[in-house]
């Protein structure tokens, strides 16, 4: 029997190892098979039962890598011996939301981040507000990636107001993607931390992951999706109403923003400020307010935020 297997999101170097040392270990576990590895594809030749057993092992490896974004020698050895639970222990399973592409667990890093995770489990709509550096957007993307990986949703949709509240992007050079990319970069950065680049490109191509300006949400019903609106303070009242009413069945909506960073001509037009005021009484909606104490960037960021929040007294 002959069969070909695609490694999907696994970097061949990770699976095969330096000088194909790991591939040799795999061959030793399947001595009756002939394995021909070429890039992201492995050709298998041998008896049907052995080919099936090998295919099952590769599927376990792919599933492990999809969850943890890592594959150590110990993890590989455990998976080859069908001890998946032991492999997950080696990977450091626990309270991690997801794992970075380097295998580092991404966990809540402040009390309000912990609260944000809990609130999204409790309700389908969450507002996370507060200053820069508190990890609101990054954690929101991590929660969306986890929902996709665990099968809770079928797609991720990330959006934000582009350029200005009026979405006037036509004057910029390039095609639509080139016009928009600079304004979506924070979202791309977070995704690139959590999903291997080749796999992310495929997911964007297949529209499993969609990144678009807020104006592109008009007229859509967003079902079976984890949906994030970032920089919501720069959405107008009508835009935010439009976004929130896109909510469909089996969806999780996260709205993030900083009320102190409104770039609209009139701050009173901010849809985020308006929504926080009129929606507070709805118990099915969660609100988490971050502060300078939650800053998880460089230690100086917390001091900078504090300095900007301190009134200046002229002598």
């Amino acid at each position: 029997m002959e069969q070909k297997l695609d490694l999907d999101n696994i970097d061949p170097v990770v699976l095969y190892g330096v000088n194909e040392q790991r591939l040799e270990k795999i061959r030793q576990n399947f001595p009756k098979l002939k394995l021909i590895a070429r890039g992201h594809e492995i050709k298998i030749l041998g008896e049907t039962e052995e080919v099936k057993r090998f295919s099952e092992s590769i599927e376990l490896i792919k599933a492990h890598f999809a969850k943890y974004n890592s594959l150590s020698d110990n993890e590989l050895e455990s998976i080859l011996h069908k001890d998946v639970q032991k492999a997950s222990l080696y990977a450091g399973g626990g309270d991690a939301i997801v794992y970075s592409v380097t295998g580092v667990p991404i966990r809540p890093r402040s009390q309000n981040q912990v609260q944000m995770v809990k609130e999204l489990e409790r309700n389908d709509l969450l507002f996370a507000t507060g200053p820069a550096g508190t990890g609101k957007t990054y954690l929101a993307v991590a929660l969306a990636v986890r929902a996709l990986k665990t099968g809770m949703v079928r797609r991720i949709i990330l959006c934000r107001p582009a350029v200005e509240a009026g979405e006037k992007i036509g004057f910029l050079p390039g095609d639509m993607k080139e016009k928009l990319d600079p304004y979506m970069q924070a979202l791309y950065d977070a995704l690139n931390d959590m999903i291997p680049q080749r796999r992310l490109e495929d997911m964007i191509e297949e529209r499993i992951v969609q990144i678009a300006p807020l104006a592109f949400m008009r007229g859509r019903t967003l079902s079976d999706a984890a949906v994030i609106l970032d920089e919501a303070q720069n959405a107008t009242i009508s835009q935010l109403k439009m976004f929130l009413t896109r909510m469909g069945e089996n969806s999780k909506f996260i709205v993030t923003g900083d009320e102190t960073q409104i770039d609209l001509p009139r701050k009173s037009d901010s849809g985020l400020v308006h929504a926080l005021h009129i929606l507070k009484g709805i118990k099915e909606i969660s609100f988490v307010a971050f502060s300078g104490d939650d800053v998880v960037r460089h230690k100086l960021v917390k001091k900078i935020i504090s300095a900007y929040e301190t009134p200046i007294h002229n002598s």
Side-chain angles (χ1 to χ4, degrees), residues 217-284:
M217 296 299 107
R218 194 173 301 279
R220 301 181 65 183
T221 299
L222 307 178
S223 303
D224 295 308
V227 187
I228 299 170
L229 173 60
D230 191 33
E231 299 286 346
Q233 74 276 3
N234 289 326
T236 64
I237 294 171
S238 62
Q239 284 176 328
L240 192 51
K241 178 185 176 183
M242 176 273 292
F243 173 79
L244 295 176
T245 54
R246 301 307 91 202
M247 199 170 195
E249 292 296 320
N250 191 42
S251 287
K252 292 283 188 178
F253 272 46
I254 307 175
V255 179
T256 66
D258 180 357
E259 298 158 86
T260 69
Q261 296 291 323
I262 299 171
D263 297 323
L264 297 170
R266 294 192 308 172
K267 295 187 185 302
S268 60
D269 288 338
S270 172
L272 179 63
V273 173
H274 180 260
L276 292 175
H277 177 69
I278 68 167
L279 301 178
K280 270 290 187 185
I282 302 176
K283 64 180 182 180
E284 292 88 357

Side-chain angles (χ1 to χ4, degrees), residues 74-139:
N74 286 332
E75 290 160 23
L76 176 61
E77 191 71 42
S78 296
I79 293 170
L80 290 174
H81 289 91
K82 298 294 193 293
D83 195 343
V84 177
Q85 187 173 9
K86 189 174 182 180
S88 68
L89 288 174
Y90 279 126
D95 60 347
I97 298 170
V98 290
Y99 289 77
S100 75
V101 293
T102 58
V104 175
I106 296 172
R107 296 185 171 97
R109 296 176 60 190
S110 71
Q111 189 55 47
N112 272 323
Q113 285 198 5
V114 171
Q115 190 63 26
M116 186 171 163
V117 175
K118 290 179 180 177
E119 291 298 327
L120 194 64
E121 291 172 353
R122 190 167 68 89
N123 285 327
D124 293 335
L125 174 57
L126 166 67
F127 284 82
T129 59
T134 51
K136 306 181 300 297
T137 299
Y138 194 83
L139 186 62

Side-chain angles (χ1 to χ4, degrees), residues 1 7 12 19-20 38 47 50 82-83 98 124 132 135 185 199 215 257 262 272 277 293 303 312:
M1 179 183 180
L7 298 183
N19 296 323
E20 297 194 344
R38 290 176 180 158
E47 296 177 2
E50 280 296 290
K82 298 294 193 293
D83 195 343
V98 290
D124 293 335
Q185 195 58 53
R199 180 57 183 149
I262 299 171
L272 179 63
H277 177 69
D293 292 336
K303 294 182 179 180
I312 298 174

Side-chain angles (χ1 to χ4, degrees), residues 307 309-315:
E309 291 176 345
T310 303
I312 298 174
H313 299 286
N314 296 322
S315 54

Side-chain angles (χ1 to χ4, degrees), residues 165-178:
E167 309 276 341
K168 296 176 183 176
I169 57 177
F171 66 90
L172 293 171
D175 61 22
M176 185 58 69
K177 185 176 185 301
E178 290 169 334

